[in-house]
């Protein structure tokens, strides 16, 4: 196991180097503008935003093969349109973002590998020297697809695995197969080994809920045995949490919610003003609408539509300015902002 630990340490280092290698003076300039203006905004409690985003999420598709109970894709409960991104429209977007974009997550809602040209999306961003990551349920990573993933230049592959036995896994990943997840993981690891490739960096993401919280040590052990590079423990977002939920874990450190004296639940969120995400990143839906962050799953807070105006006008436009102004006063004024990674700890390892 000591050899495995050394390999995982090297992969962490390689991933960091790969991310840094995507930088340029122009990107560093915008990162400095963003960070400096955010700190000044917090100091003066006023929106003093400057710079262009260095990170973004893009939604390849809203379609999914699973039916996870707290996911709009899984529940088929979107009020917005569903569909898959157009390749040429995506390429035009990347052309506009590439000079300042450092990091791109090719995932929002849905299963990315259900997009018929998903790896073409990866390849194009890779060709523009952008760090690429995605999140998948790993049901479609055949040996052939694993080979294509390696060739695409994908930098990080996050694999959702929410149980170490089928019964526990399918309690949340309804309709899913743990065997396929393990098989897909082995396929990508084997392809990476054969190619002697430095990427992608492979992560097990474990959504901690009450039915699986006892398996945290087991998923870490499984990751180590397989040779997965990292394990992320993610707290679950529950929509109807006030009266409790069978998904809320007993271990409070893995929960976004706390039980109050009256028996109801409330969100454990920070009352700190501002939001770093609103300064440095944004999310694009499959049909080119811009929303503030990944917690706006149903696109209730559309900042603009790229089918109508260019991104820079949206990024500096009135809806974004108003939204940032609101968050500088208090995140509690926007319901989704109380339930997000700026307000509660979402990941641990």
């Amino acid at each position: 196991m000591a050899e495995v630990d050394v390999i995982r340490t090297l992969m962490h280092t390689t991933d960091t180097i790969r991310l840094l290698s995507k930088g340029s003076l122009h990107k560093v300039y915008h990162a400095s503008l963003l960070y400096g203006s955010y700190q000044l905004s917090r100091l003066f409690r006023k929106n003093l935003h400057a710079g262009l985003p260095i990170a973004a999420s893009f939604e390849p598709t809203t379609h999914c093969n699973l039916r996870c109970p707290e996911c709009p894709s899984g529940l088929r409960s979107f009020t917005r349109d569903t569909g898959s991104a157009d390749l040429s429209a995506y390429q035009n977007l990347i052309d506009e973002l590439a000079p300042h974009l450092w990091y791109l997550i090719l995932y929002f809602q849905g299963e990315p590998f259900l997009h018929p040209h998903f790896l073409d999306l990866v390849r194009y961003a890779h060709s523009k020297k952008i760090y690429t990551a995605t999140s998948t349920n790993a049901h479609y990573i055949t040996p052939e697809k694993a080979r294509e993933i390696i060739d695409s230049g994908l930098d990080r592959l996050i694999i959702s695995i929410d149980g170490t036995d089928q019964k526990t896994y399918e309690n949340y990943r309804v309709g899913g197969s743990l065997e396929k997840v393990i098989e897909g993981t082995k396929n990508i690891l084997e392809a990476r080994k054969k190619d002697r490739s430095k990427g992608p960096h492979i992560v097990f993401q474990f959504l901690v809920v009450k039915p699986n919280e006892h398996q945290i040590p087991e998923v870490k052990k499984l990751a180590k045995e397989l040779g997965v590079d990292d394990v992320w423990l993610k707290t679950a977002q529950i929509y109807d949490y006030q009266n409790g939920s069978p998904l809320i874990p007993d271990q409070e450190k893995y929960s976004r919610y706390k039980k109050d004296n009256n028996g109801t639940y409330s969100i454990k969120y920070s009352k700190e003003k501002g939001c770093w995400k609103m300064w440095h990143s944004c999310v694009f839906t499959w049909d080119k609408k811009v929303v503030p962050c990944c917690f706006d799953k149903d696109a209730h807070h559309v900042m603009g539509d790229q089918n109508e105006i260019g991104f820079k006008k949206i990024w500096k436009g009135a809806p974004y300015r108003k939204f940032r102004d609101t968050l500088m006063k208090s995140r509690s004024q926007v319901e989704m902002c109380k339930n997000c990674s700026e307000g509660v700890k979402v990941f641990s390892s």
Side-chain angles (χ1 to χ4, degrees), residues 329-343:
K329 295 173 183 175
S330 173
R331 284 205 301 268
S332 65
Q333 295 185 40
V334 183
E335 184 61 30
M336 73 170 185
C337 297
K338 296 188 294 186
N339 207 357
C340 84
S341 55
E342 292 284 321

Side-chain angles (χ1 to χ4, degrees), residues 121-223:
L121 306 182
V122 176
R123 290 186 191 95
Y124 196 74
H126 176 72
S127 73
K128 298 293 182 177
K129 204 175 180 183
I130 299 170
Y131 183 99
T132 55
T134 195
S135 181
T136 177
N137 59 46
H139 280 56
Y140 300 99
I141 305 179
T142 62
E144 295 76 22
K145 185 64 68 175
R147 175 71 264 166
E148 292 178 33
I149 292 170
I150 298 297
D151 291 341
S152 73
L154 182 70
D155 294 296
R156 179 177 293 169
L157 181 66
I158 302 166
I159 296 173
S160 295
I161 179 168
D162 303 328
T164 56
D165 60 70
Q166 178 60 27
K167 183 178 179 180
T168 304
Y169 172 78
E170 68 182 356
N171 185 275
Y172 188 81
R173 298 288 167 182
V174 178
S177 166
L178 179 62
E179 182 180 357
K180 286 188 176 181
V181 177
I182 301 298
E183 182 182 337
T185 302
K186 288 180 177 178
N187 287 339
I188 188 64
L189 287 166
E190 182 63 25
R192 190 177 73 176
K193 182 178 179 181
K194 282 184 178 179
D195 194 68
R196 297 183 179 180
S197 174
K198 295 178 181 179
H201 186 74
I202 300 169
V203 177
F204 266 176
Q205 180 174 282
F206 191 83
L207 186 70
V208 182
V209 288
K210 188 169 184 176
N212 71 10
E213 61 182 319
H214 64 288
Q215 293 185 340
I216 291 173
E218 295 175 22
V219 76
K220 290 181 177 180
K221 180 182 177 183
L222 177 61

Side-chain angles (χ1 to χ4, degrees), residues 262-324:
N262 62 4
T264 62
Y265 286 79
S266 58
I267 302 170
K268 299 188 301 186
Y269 75 97
S270 167
K271 295 182 180 179
E272 183 180 344
K273 297 178 177 66
C275 176
W276 171 231
K277 286 185 178 180
M278 292 307 99
W279 259 248
H280 81 281
S281 66
C282 64
V283 175
F284 298 91
T285 62
W286 68 272
D287 52 353
K288 295 184 68 181
K289 291 182 174 64
V290 181
V291 297
C293 75
C294 61
F295 283 82
D296 192 6
K297 296 178 175 64
D298 213 10
H300 292 301
H301 302 277
V302 176
M303 300 291 107
D305 188 335
Q306 276 214 287
N307 295 297
E308 299 171 359
I309 58 174
F311 173 71
K312 289 182 182 179
K313 288 185 178 180
I314 295 173
W315 183 247
K316 298 179 182 296
Y320 245 129
R321 290 198 305 271
K322 183 178 178 180
F323 199 81
R324 293 184 184 113

Side-chain angles (χ1 to χ4, degrees), residues 221-280:
K221 180 182 177 183
L222 177 61
K224 197 169 187 177
E225 289 173 349
L226 293 174
V228 171
D229 304 314
D230 206 352
V231 177
W232 291 352
L233 305 177
K234 184 179 181 182
T235 60
Q237 179 181 6
I238 310 297
Y239 287 101
D240 297 318
Y241 59 84
Q242 290 87 351
N243 295 315
S245 165
L247 294 175
I248 296 177
D250 291 328
Q251 300 177 66
E252 193 171 301
K253 69 177 179 178
Y254 297 122
S255 175
R256 300 188 193 186
Y257 314 94
K258 60 181 180 179
K259 192 172 185 179
D260 298 325
N261 293 333
N262 62 4
T264 62
Y265 286 79
S266 58
I267 302 170
K268 299 188 301 186
Y269 75 97
S270 167
K271 295 182 180 179
E272 183 180 344
K273 297 178 177 66
C275 176
W276 171 231
K277 286 185 178 180
M278 292 307 99
W279 259 248
H280 81 281

